[in-house]
Structures are given as C-alpha cells and as structure tokens.
Amino acid sequence: MWSWLSRAFRSTGAAERAEAEGRFEDAVRLYVDAGAREEAVRVLLAVSETTRALEARRSLLTRAATLSRNDAQQVEARRRLARLTVDEAEDDPPRTDDDRRALADAARALEGLGEHGDAARAYVMLEDREG
C-alpha cells in the first residue's frame, strides 16, 4: 500500500513539474498515470485556450471530452468543441453533407447549452431560418 501511495504522489509531483515547465503532454500523461484525470483534463482545456491551430485545438478538446469523468468538465469540453465547429465553418464554409451535419449537430448542442448566439451563427451558415 505504501509503495502505491508514494508512486501516486511522486507522479502527481512530476506532473505538476512538467506542467510548470510547459511540458503539457508529459503533464497530461503523468496526471492520468497518477489517477488524477480531472487535472489532466484541466491541463488539456487550458492548453486548448492558447492553441491557435484549429485542428490542434480540436484534438486537445476531443481528448479532454473523452478523458473526462467529471460532468462539468465534459460539458465544457463539448461546448468548446461545438464552438470550434462553428468557428471552422466560418473560416471554411461547409461543402459536404457531412460538414453540414456536423455544423447542425454543433448548433443543436450549443442551443441545448444555452449558447444561443453561437447556435444562431451556425443556423445562419446552414440557412436554417427556423433554427
């Protein structure tokens, strides 16, 4: 039992050091290894805020949503993913049925989360007057 606890605390300390040093991938891995999923998701969400490349941000947010066992964190990751889908559609309008379906899903998700302004942006791009 003692060795498990010491490993867990060492891993968390190593994760905190990695995070402080800007080694976010290492921090996420170490937090997960230590059983601190909420901390790993927190790091992924924080890094996604400063990531400029939309595809990299999508990857971080998808990992956060998948990894999270905390309802509030999962909702936040999904909210950010839906907003990202709308932002991507503004930069590159949907051309295929799959793109339009993804944008419509994002619009419904945002509407359900009370993000009516972002949902409206998506509905305008979809030319969905009812939405």
Side-chain angles (χ1 to χ4, degrees):
M1 170 97 171
W2 181 254
S3 67
W4 178 84
L5 284 173
S6 92
R7 270 197 327 268
F9 285 115
R10 262 198 325 266
S11 294
T12 300
E16 290 167 353
R17 281 190 301 281
E19 184 178 357
E21 293 169 1
R23 295 182 296 118
F24 300 113
E25 287 298 325
D26 290 339
V28 169
R29 181 182 46 78
L30 290 165
Y31 278 130
V32 169
D33 289 349
R37 283 179 176 264
E38 287 184 10
E39 289 300 310
V41 172
R42 179 189 56 76
V43 170
L44 289 168
L45 291 174
V47 172
S48 76
E49 283 295 306
T50 60
T51 301
R52 298 245 185 247
L54 296 179
E55 191 56 40
R57 189 179 312 159
R58 176 171 296 287
S59 175
L60 291 165
L61 292 172
T62 300
R63 286 174 57 200
T66 302
L67 187 60
S68 179
R69 300 292 184 257
N70 174 306
D71 289 342
Q73 284 181 324
Q74 197 164 70
V75 166
E76 183 59 26
R78 295 194 186 288
R79 177 190 327 269
R80 291 183 191 187
L81 276 168
R83 280 187 187 149
L84 179 61
T85 300
V86 175
D87 291 344
E88 288 172 333
E90 284 183 336
D91 287 348
D92 186 18
R95 294 186 187 105
T96 66
D97 287 340
D98 287 341
D99 291 344
R100 292 180 62 74
R101 198 172 6 265
L103 185 57
D105 290 345
R108 284 190 295 277
L110 288 165
E111 189 175 9
L113 293 167
E115 301 289 330
H116 301 293
D118 288 324
R121 286 178 28 220
Y123 286 129
V124 165
M125 284 184 273
L126 291 167
E127 299 175 356
D128 180 345
R129 293 186 192 276
E130 185 179 315

